[in-house]
Amino acid sequence: MSSLHTRLATALLLLLLAVGTLGIASTLITTRLHLEEANQSANLDLASNIAAMKESRLIDPDGEIRPEGLDEIFHWMMVVNPGVQFYLLDPEGTVLAYDPTPGPAQLERVSLQPIRDLMAGPEHLPMLGDDPRDPEHRKIISVAPLPLEGPTQGYLYIVLDNDPFETAAGRLATSHALRLSLWTGLGAVALALLFGFVIFRRLTKPLRLLTCRMQSFQRGNAAQCEPGDGDEVALLGATFDDMKDRIEVQMDQIERLAALKSELIANVSHDLRTPIAMLHGYLETLAIKELDDEKRRSYLAVALRQSDRLGKLVGELFELTKLEADDAEADMERFVLSELVQDNVQRFSLEAEERDVTIRAQFDPELPAVLGDIGLIERALQNLIDNALRFTAPGGSVTVTLDEIEMAGSKRLEVKVADTGCGISAEDLPFVFDRAFRCRFADADPRSSSGAGLGLAITQRIVRLHGGEVTVESELDVGTTFRFSLPIAPVPEPTLHWPEEGLARIA
């Protein structure tokens, strides 16, 4: 029933049934009106003719109505037409006399308006009047004034025989033509439904094939197509919406990749210009000038530092671009974060000693393990520690702290890297994770000859891949603190290891 051709055939059936029902109802109504019109037209002068023949019986010599005069008419009309009912009315419509044989009259007075309209010459038939024995229904009538000429003293009021087609059931039961029309209509509806179903199925076949092809293409197998049941239009619309959403997502990805490409090119052109220019300048000086050994070694040392800085900058640019791609994912695993922090603090201890900066780690050895990509988390730690060391003056300190916290109803381990360096102004603090700002910030460091300034951007992207955020607090000439957290890994279920000898003994 959900397919389009079935619903069209159902709609056709309902339409035919509605039209057929209206046609049958119209036929029944018009047939009844026609019969009533013919009956009234044939008997329109019945009351006048009877009044003309029996006027002397109905009116005495003084011109008064004689109710007893109806008796002879009753007996006479029982032979001619036993179905009619005679009533003798006064000028106000009050029933003076009637034939009591069918039963008592329930109305004492009938409406005079139909009588006047019928006597005035009706514009159209049938015209119905009150039936004293059946007040709820109006019947066709024949009326004549008494006397026929002169002042009206009353009326001869005739209610004609009830229509044998009074009800729809009666008309269908008694009319062969109506029954034949009904069966003919039902047969026509069935035939039209059959042809409509076949025609609609053929007409909707291209739509079903198109829907099938789109669904097959959506599934990635356009060669196989088997039309199924269901609403073809709804399926086609749903398939179109799904493909539209996929195309929009792909277009967004293409636009994002294009933006990343443009941004990478802009950053490369901006960030690489300074080290390349410095490297070229020193190498050119070494090539065209005669320098003593000490200056040559000094120039070569500067060129090597700029080359190292250039290599690190290119590596970080590509690393950040890779992390910002839509398909970048973290390889989640369970590991001990305190061990990773301790290893990285020891790794930077020599550099901290050269800079005359104290570096230390503070954590509880019993802290639980976390869930994350150990390689990416190590890269984020290194970026934060390296950034803290480069902007901490001699005599300062860098502290890496681990604390167990609760966030959004779940327990996490928070990593806090705090330094006592130069700090960041409140105006610049919202932009520390901006790529261009970081490059300028790194270049402004007079003690750092290496480092691309992209470490914070890489760290932020790594933490976001783990479902978190990096926050920063800083005060000029006091220090800066970076924080991020990782989810605590669930405790693994214990695994029982049975010695082979024990298993063999049990077996």
Side-chain angles (χ1 to χ4, degrees), residues 335 337 340 373-381 462 466 486:
F335 67 94
L337 183 59
L340 183 65
D373 189 319
I374 187 171
L376 294 179
I377 297 301
E378 183 175 20
R379 183 74 172 99
L381 276 173
I462 289 174
H466 288 76
L486 294 172

Side-chain angles (χ1 to χ4, degrees), residues 355-373:
R355 292 176 177 270
D356 193 18
V357 175
T358 303
I359 183 171
R360 59 180 177 271
Q362 294 180 350
F363 54 81
D364 184 355
E366 301 299 327
L367 287 175
V370 297
L371 193 64
D373 189 319

Side-chain angles (χ1 to χ4, degrees), residues 80-248:
V80 179
N81 189 353
V84 298
Q85 301 175 22
F86 290 88
Y87 297 89
L88 195 60
L89 309 179
D90 67 4
E92 286 74 28
T94 302
V95 178
L96 300 177
Y98 61 92
D99 179 13
T101 304
Q106 300 182 20
L107 288 180
E108 296 181 355
R109 177 178 294 181
V110 298
S111 174
L112 292 178
Q113 188 61 42
I115 297 175
R116 293 168 182 165
D117 294 341
L118 189 61
M119 292 174 56
E123 296 181 358
H124 59 82
L125 298 178
M127 296 189 65
L128 307 181
D130 293 335
D131 183 358
R133 286 188 172 88
D134 189 5
E136 295 182 359
H137 297 90
R138 295 169 65 84
K139 303 292 181 63
I140 54 178
I141 59 174
S142 179
V143 180
L146 295 175
L148 292 175
E149 296 180 0
T152 301
Q153 301 298 322
Y155 301 97
L156 179 61
Y157 187 79
I158 300 177
V159 177
L160 300 176
D161 188 14
N162 290 335
D163 182 12
F165 300 94
E166 184 73 27
T167 63
R171 288 192 289 272
L172 289 176
T174 57
S175 175
H176 176 71
L178 289 178
R179 292 198 305 270
L180 182 61
S181 299
L182 177 61
W183 287 111
T184 302
L186 292 177
V189 169
L191 187 62
L193 178 62
L194 176 62
F195 278 99
F197 186 84
V198 175
I199 292 173
F200 289 149
R201 185 171 181 84
R202 291 182 63 87
L203 290 177
T204 57
K205 184 177 180 180
L207 180 61
R208 294 198 308 274
L209 292 176
L210 177 60
T211 303
C212 178
R213 291 172 59 187
M214 289 191 65
Q215 289 180 322
S216 299
F217 179 78
Q218 182 185 18
R219 292 190 298 264
N221 188 8
Q224 297 182 0
C225 181
E226 297 180 0
D229 297 330
D231 189 347
E232 295 88 348
V233 176
L235 291 175
L236 186 61
T239 304
F240 173 80
D241 291 338
D242 183 67
M243 294 181 67
K244 177 180 68 68
D245 295 338
R246 291 174 60 185
I247 291 174
E248 290 178 350

Side-chain angles (χ1 to χ4, degrees), residues 15 36 52 57 62 112 138 150 171 187 194 196 231 240 266 275 289 309 316 323 370 401 404 415 445 455:
L15 179 62
E36 289 178 346
R57 300 290 186 183
D62 297 331
L112 292 178
R138 295 169 65 84
R171 288 192 289 272
L194 176 62
D231 189 347
F240 173 80
K289 287 187 177 182
R309 179 185 179 187
E316 288 189 343
L323 288 172
V370 297
T401 306
E404 185 174 349
V415 181
D445 178 19

